[in-house]
Amino acid sequence: MAEGSGRDKKGSSGRSYRSKAGLTRQPKKMRGRKPSSQRWLTRQLNDPFVAEAKKKGYRSRAAIKLEQMDGKHKFLKPHMRVVDLGCAPGGWLQYVARECRLDAGKGCLVGIDLLETDPVSGADIMVGDINEEGVLEEVATRIGGKADAVLSDMAAATTGHRQTDHLRTMALLELALDFAGQILQPGGLFLAKAFRGGADANFMKLLNERFEKVRYLKPDASRAESVETYLLATGFQPPENDETG
Ligand SMILES: C[S@@+](CC[C@H](N)C(=O)[O-])C[C@H]1O[C@@H](n2cnc3c(N)ncnc32)[C@H](O)[C@@H]1O
């Protein structure tokens, strides 16, 4: 069943999104498309968060997830220095640039992705792999030292093989934490995409050692049937032997 077809979910505005007649809208021109592509198109057409993102001028539906998480937990503040890992096509950048009031010339936002991202006012965008040598140093130079927040919505291209996709996402999560551990200033925050029940005990132990508070978040815009979830860790405490500062 396509998402939204029979349920009465709510958009982040709190409005019910099911059509008045309760019907699922079907895309035109379905002929010749693979069933998986047909399902994706139908879901997009009926997804209230796709519509909400479009209405708000966001480039991605993902921006609604960040808006919902920040709306509830209020972790982004004006003039913060923020790093966005896996920033393309730029929805999170748009939200952060606005919430952190970067147009006022204070604060800083650096985004990085394997893919090109169209410019976003207030953001400094790089193309690169966060796993590559020299990338961390380049981001640190651009941010002007240490960051107040590291956000990661990084996701690997899905294979359809559940376990493989899971392992890839977890590998990106570990990379993101490693990156954050080197660039965050004391008290900083880390928000990253994870898989429900996915982070292993060692990873959670490390996260809990490095941060004062760790929470799992599941914004409404993250599909209920998806194992996707987010980890929000606040109050970064660098290891005592840290000499990078
Ligand atoms: C879900 S998208 C991010 C959407 C983004 N938050 C937005 O709102 O527009 C995930 C991104 O992670 C990027 N990514 C995956 N692995 C990466 C890596 N090793 N380094 C940099 N970016 C990576 C992908 O290229 C992809 O664009």
Side-chain angles (χ1 to χ4, degrees):
M1 184 175 68
E3 185 179 2
S5 60
R7 303 188 192 143
D8 196 14
K9 276 196 178 178
K10 290 183 173 179
S12 52
S13 56
R15 287 192 304 274
S16 171
Y17 69 74
R18 203 162 51 169
S19 75
K20 277 183 192 155
L23 299 174
T24 303
R25 291 166 65 204
Q26 291 294 335
K28 296 170 191 156
K29 298 188 184 160
M30 291 278 253
R31 207 176 294 160
R33 291 184 188 273
K34 283 189 197 161
S36 58
S37 156
Q38 291 184 8
R39 276 197 302 276
W40 186 85
L41 277 171
T42 306
R43 191 169 68 178
Q44 288 294 100
L45 195 66
N46 289 280
D47 186 329
F49 300 116
V50 170
E52 187 175 341
K54 201 171 162 194
K55 195 170 151 205
K56 290 180 170 170
Y58 290 131
R59 294 178 191 168
S60 65
R61 182 186 184 285
I64 301 292
K65 298 182 207 171
L66 180 61
E67 187 179 284
Q68 291 175 345
M69 291 188 282
D70 185 46
K72 191 164 178 192
H73 299 279
K74 312 257 183 268
F75 46 85
L76 291 173
K77 310 262 189 276
H79 311 148
M80 268 184 157
R81 283 168 297 159
V82 182
V83 177
D84 182 8
L85 306 176
C87 65
W92 281 30
L93 292 177
Q94 290 176 292
Y95 179 78
V96 175
R98 197 187 65 217
E99 283 309 299
C100 295
R101 299 202 211 128
L102 298 175
D103 274 342
K106 289 188 191 156
C108 187
L109 171 59
V110 175
I112 178 163
D113 203 289
L114 300 169
L115 308 173
E116 292 270 354
T117 307
D118 286 341
V120 171
S121 174
D124 180 1
I125 302 170
M126 296 168 55
V127 175
D129 183 336
I130 70 145
N131 204 17
E132 267 170 26
E133 227 183 289
V135 166
L136 177 83
E137 291 73 16
E138 176 64 24
V139 172
T141 303
R142 291 181 183 221
I143 207 95
K146 296 277 181 183
D148 300 304
V150 171
L151 314 178
S152 168
D153 196 23
M154 283 193 298
T158 47
T159 62
H161 185 263
R162 209 169 223 221
Q163 224 170 345
T164 306
D165 292 340
H166 187 118
L167 288 173
R168 285 180 171 191
T169 302
M170 293 319 297
L172 285 174
L173 177 61
E174 281 175 26
L175 275 178
L177 177 61
D178 190 48
F179 196 99
Q182 296 184 65
I183 205 166
L184 275 180
Q185 69 164 346
L189 74 91
F190 175 61
L191 173 77
K193 191 201 284 289
F195 269 178
R196 193 168 30 212
D200 68 28
N202 285 340
F203 180 87
M204 290 309 288
K205 186 169 174 277
L206 196 62
L207 204 59
N208 279 304
E209 277 167 11
R210 295 225 178 133
F211 292 87
E212 278 166 19
K213 192 168 178 187
V214 179
R215 282 163 280 185
Y216 275 107
L217 308 183
K218 178 79 175 169
D220 286 350
S222 180
R223 297 185 171 97
E225 71 274 21
S226 161
V227 286
E228 174 192 80
T229 180
Y230 289 85
L231 274 167
L232 173 63
T234 49
F236 177 63
Q237 318 177 84
E240 281 180 5
N241 59 357
D242 182 23
E243 287 170 8
T244 57

